[in-house]
Amino acid sequence: MSLADTAKSLETLTKIPAFLLAGSTKDRVVYISNEDGPYSLWSLDCKSGSKLKMTSEPVEQAATPRHECNEVFYTKDTAKGAEFHKIYKNDTIQRKETLAVDVQSMRIEGLATAQDMIAFTGATKEEMALYTAKSGSLEKRTKLEALAALTDANPNYLVGYGWLENNPRSNELFIFDLSTGQMQEYTPKLGSVNKMPVLNGSRILFESDFTGKNRLHVYDLERHEVHDAPCAFSDHLAYDATEHPYFDWMDDGKVLFVGKRDGEAKVFIDGRQVPTSAGYIWGATLLNGKLYVTHTTVIQPHRILEIDPQTSQTRVVVDNQLPPGIREKFKQRQSRLVRYQSFDGRNVPALVVDGTGSPRRTITYIHGGPWSEVLNSWERFVASFILMGYNIIAPNYRGSTGYGEDYRNLDIGDPGGDDLKDIALAAQWAKENGLATENAIVGYSYGGYATLLALGKEPEVWSCGVAGAPVADWKESHQMSDAEYRSFIEILFDHKTELFEDRSPITYVKNVKKPMCIISSQNDSRTPMRPVLRYAMNLLDQGVKFELHSVPEMGHLWRTSEEILSVVYPTIAFLQRQFPA
Ligand code: 4NP
């Protein structure tokens, strides 16, 4: 394929929109989509099927919409990708945006609303804190001594979770009592991982692994009692989810949740499984007795489905067909989850995409996070490799989500250590199992970091590599970070800052021999460009063949289809030159 044809195909591919459910208001289903360029908030009238784009500029995060009104609250980045946010309010029917909270130089993470109050957690260079705002007037409620995010609010309480015990391997809930101004910490068992509390009066629904497995529980704030989440049916027990990426109270006091296992997901109402085909489910919401979910697979872009919970009758309300020219390239391709044994006998799950008919040059794709995973879900890097005819292996190396908290915690105090060994063994598995003749390594963010480190520490395993938004030097990244990301790095390293040098790609840059492509954005405030440029100067001095792409007016996250293309196109163009399939 000529470069011009590649560019054209990738432009079509990166314009395929995502549809991510945010919830529902009184009358509308609300979702975030880049259907029209920027990631905007959209509202859907399910009866007529009419869709309304509510914002022309990119939206970052929406607070869970409420059924008592048609208003939604959300954040927008005001610093061209550097992630300084302001909070806006809009009406899902009338489409009227107003600035709701004006803050300066603050990264806003958790956002929730209750009646006329907005609550959020925000980080500046110096500190993290919990805030409320009413009628535009802002109040700092309490400074946060540990990394934590708000997840819900009602007129009496603000709740969230984080590393309140300063134990990198546990998470505790926080409950801020608005009437007394007191901050309370709750954990059913010290050392357990407790996440994403949502309120129903004085009852808190949350996920916890204190029984040994991630399960949903309810903590009663008045009775000081914890019990299993109420479920009249027991399908979820048979399903045995490893995690619950989404859960909330329904208007009738029952519980709606998504359970995840082995990269797939199912949705449950009151414990009863709603039939959906294989794939992943990003969010769910009930409106007027109908269930709405975002469904996707590796080869099927996100669609919004409407399901009648009584009859299981399913209707696609927002479709997303692969465009002609792209569709043919996906026809024969299949994805599957494999498990291979790592150096210490541990089983590592990996997503494999084959169907090309023969072993060939293969991409080892490294997801970011590191507390994230590759799912049976549409993913733009994976989709662009499929388009170009590569086989793919994407390891869920130790530290990944989706396989229990013990597995997720394995990279704490050891980033770029045993996880990197898992990654190299994924490439070896691909060679030994008829997938790969050679391997290239590609990743973004933590995946970009792992790519740089792999090319320096295991130059013989890889033919070449592409690192997007990488960490090149933990010490400099830590110094340049705001309070939130400083804390994130300290948790990841289990406070062993003396490991920074040993785990930084710049320490091993002298060993790099294979061609490399680096993509970094000028306004990236999570993985800043400055240390990346220092890394590239070393490559220059050593005479390594490398490409370096600087993306101006862009940050760490992708806000528009154009920004997606500005990372995906240089990735594929480099691979086409150095490593054609
Ligand atoms: P991401 O990874 O979640 O994949 O974006 C990150 C890696 C490093 C840092 C932040 C995020 N950091 O602060 O260094």
Side-chain angles (χ1 to χ4, degrees):
M1 205 190 284
S2 73
L3 268 185
D5 289 340
T6 301
K8 246 195 159 113
S9 304
L10 286 174
E11 190 174 25
T12 308
L13 184 91
T14 51
K15 277 190 174 156
I16 293 172
F19 298 107
L20 299 165
L21 275 179
S24 44
T25 59
K26 187 159 150 273
D27 301 305
R28 301 283 167 113
V29 165
V30 181
Y31 60 93
I32 291 181
S33 177
N34 59 333
E35 184 172 4
D36 197 20
Y39 276 97
S40 310
L41 213 54
W42 291 68
S43 86
L44 171 72
D45 180 345
C46 300
K47 278 204 196 91
S48 68
S50 76
K51 299 183 285 186
L52 187 68
K53 183 183 167 191
M54 296 168 61
T55 56
S56 52
E57 294 166 317
V59 161
E60 207 124 305
Q61 189 195 144
T64 304
R66 304 268 176 201
H67 278 157
E68 58 265 21
C69 62
N70 275 314
E71 281 173 349
V72 278
F73 292 82
Y74 50 90
T75 61
K76 290 200 296 193
D77 169 34
T78 57
K80 296 189 164 68
E83 298 180 67
F84 291 142
H85 300 110
K86 294 190 195 299
I87 301 171
Y88 293 81
K89 174 173 136 174
N90 208 322
D91 187 288
T92 46
I93 294 175
Q94 287 166 5
R95 191 191 183 276
K96 190 166 172 291
E97 182 178 85
T98 51
L99 179 65
V101 185
D102 191 359
V103 287
Q104 301 301 316
S105 307
M106 193 183 291
R107 183 193 301 278
I108 294 176
E109 281 296 344
L111 175 67
T113 58
Q115 291 173 351
D116 58 345
M117 179 188 67
I118 301 167
F120 61 97
T121 36
T124 61
K125 181 84 187 162
E126 290 76 33
E127 64 167 28
M128 291 170 283
L130 177 64
Y131 299 85
T132 56
K134 262 189 189 178
S135 321
S137 96
L138 185 68
E139 189 177 347
K140 184 179 1 174
R141 293 296 186 144
T142 182
K143 186 179 163 189
L144 295 168
E145 300 299 338
L147 180 54
L150 178 87
T151 50
D152 201 11
N154 70 17
N156 299 321
Y157 302 107
L158 310 179
V159 292
Y161 72 104
W163 285 264
L164 306 183
E165 282 289 320
N166 262 315
N167 171 1
R169 293 174 183 80
S170 75
N171 277 180
E172 295 74 33
L173 306 186
F174 73 73
I175 300 125
F176 184 84
D177 187 324
L178 285 160
S179 59
T180 63
Q182 291 298 307
M183 186 73 155
Q184 182 194 328
E185 179 185 320
Y186 174 71
T187 178
K189 186 179 169 190
L190 266 180
S192 61
V193 181
N194 301 280
K195 290 182 182 166
M196 299 194 291
V198 280
L199 286 158
N200 182 0
S202 56
R203 297 196 306 151
I204 299 175
L205 176 67
F206 67 107
E207 188 192 55
S208 176
D209 75 338
F210 81 96
T211 59
K213 282 181 170 183
N214 271 324
R215 291 287 174 261
L216 297 180
H217 300 277
V218 173
Y219 176 56
D220 190 313
L221 275 169
E222 279 164 13
R223 297 185 181 169
H224 305 287
E225 285 171 6
V226 66
H227 55 81
D228 294 349
C231 283
F233 300 87
S234 56
D235 294 352
H236 62 298
L237 299 177
Y239 184 72
D240 197 20
T242 50
E243 269 169 26
H244 303 83
Y246 169 84
F247 49 87
D248 204 353
W249 298 97
M250 298 190 285
D251 293 342
D252 59 7
K254 292 174 182 165
V255 172
L256 169 67
F257 58 93
V258 173
K260 180 210 284 180
R261 69 172 300 130
D262 293 339
E264 307 267 332
K266 293 289 175 197
V267 61
F268 298 84
I269 297 176
D270 200 19
R272 190 169 72 168
Q273 187 175 325
V274 179
T276 49
S277 54
Y280 198 70
I281 289 169
W282 292 98
T285 191
L286 269 164
L287 181 64
N288 299 327
K290 296 276 169 57
L291 175 70
Y292 298 88
V293 298
T294 291
H295 182 268
T296 163
T297 72
V298 166
I299 54 171
Q300 169 61 59
H302 307 69
R303 297 182 302 172
I304 300 181
L305 310 178
E306 179 190 82
I307 307 169
D308 184 324
Q310 303 308 320
T311 63
S312 303
Q313 200 170 21
T314 301
R315 184 168 77 95
V316 179
V317 284
V318 178
D319 205 0
N320 203 357
Q321 299 279 343
L322 286 174
I326 303 269
R327 197 177 308 153
E328 297 71 40
K329 309 271 187 187
F330 282 71
K331 244 187 185 153
Q332 307 299 328
R333 309 301 297 268
Q334 303 109 29
S335 76
R336 62 198 160 102
L337 195 79
V338 302
R339 283 185 163 82
Y340 61 89
Q341 225 176 50
S342 196
F343 68 97
D344 57 353
R346 196 171 284 281
N347 272 327
V348 177
L351 184 93
V352 164
V353 186
D354 52 13
T356 56
S358 58
R360 60 181 56 226
R361 287 179 160 171
T362 291
I363 309 293
T364 304
Y365 174 64
I366 316 303
H367 69 74
W371 302 318
S372 176
E373 71 193 280
V374 180
L375 301 156
N376 185 11
S377 167
W378 186 254
E379 209 277 351
R380 286 192 184 83
F381 277 112
V382 172
S384 64
F385 304 144
I386 293 175
L387 181 72
M388 300 310 294
Y390 293 103
N391 284 338
I392 301 148
I393 183 162
N396 286 320
Y397 51 85
R398 65 192 66 198
S400 300
T401 53
Y403 300 91
E405 296 307 327
D406 290 345
Y407 190 76
R408 190 185 64 78
N409 279 332
L410 284 174
D411 62 347
I412 290 175
D414 189 30
D418 288 351
D419 56 357
L420 197 73
K421 294 183 190 162
D422 294 343
I423 289 167
L425 287 168
Q428 188 178 316
W429 184 94
K431 273 193 169 174
E432 289 172 357
N433 287 274
L435 194 72
T437 52
E438 285 179 65
N439 286 282
I441 180 165
V442 181
Y444 190 84
S445 190
Y446 192 85
Y449 157 68
T451 298
L452 290 190
L453 196 63
L455 289 169
K457 288 188 86 167
E458 309 148 341
E460 67 294 345
V461 175
W462 313 102
S463 298
C464 64
V466 183
V471 176
D473 181 347
W474 286 108
K475 187 169 165 215
E476 193 175 357
S477 275
H478 183 253
Q479 283 163 353
M480 291 182 76
S481 294
D482 65 13
E484 179 180 335
Y485 277 93
R486 266 202 313 277
S487 183
F488 166 79
I489 294 170
E490 288 160 15
I491 290 164
L492 183 60
F493 275 84
D494 198 2
H495 303 283
K496 293 186 261 183
T497 51
E498 69 278 9
L499 269 184
F500 281 173
E501 190 183 339
D502 182 61
R503 299 309 164 89
S504 287
I506 197 137
T507 306
Y508 306 94
V509 66
K510 290 272 177 297
N511 304 333
V512 174
K513 291 179 182 59
K514 300 292 173 54
M516 182 187 298
C517 172
I518 301 175
I519 305 154
S520 177
S521 297
Q522 279 181 261
N523 294 346
D524 191 329
S525 59
R526 302 191 191 196
T527 51
M529 183 187 270
R530 191 172 288 276
V532 176
L533 292 180
R534 208 152 46 74
Y535 184 93
M537 283 300 288
N538 279 271
L539 297 178
L540 179 67
D541 291 345
Q542 288 164 220
V544 173
K545 197 195 275 186
F546 74 101
E547 291 187 17
L548 177 64
H549 299 266
S550 156
V551 190
E553 304 208 330
M554 182 172 149
H556 193 75
L557 305 175
W558 302 346
R559 295 169 301 161
T560 64
S561 309
E562 291 73 27
E563 291 192 348
I564 298 168
L565 189 61
S566 70
V567 176
V568 171
Y569 176 71
T571 300
I572 295 298
F574 169 87
L575 290 170
Q576 218 177 347
R577 278 187 285 269
Q578 303 296 338
F579 193 72

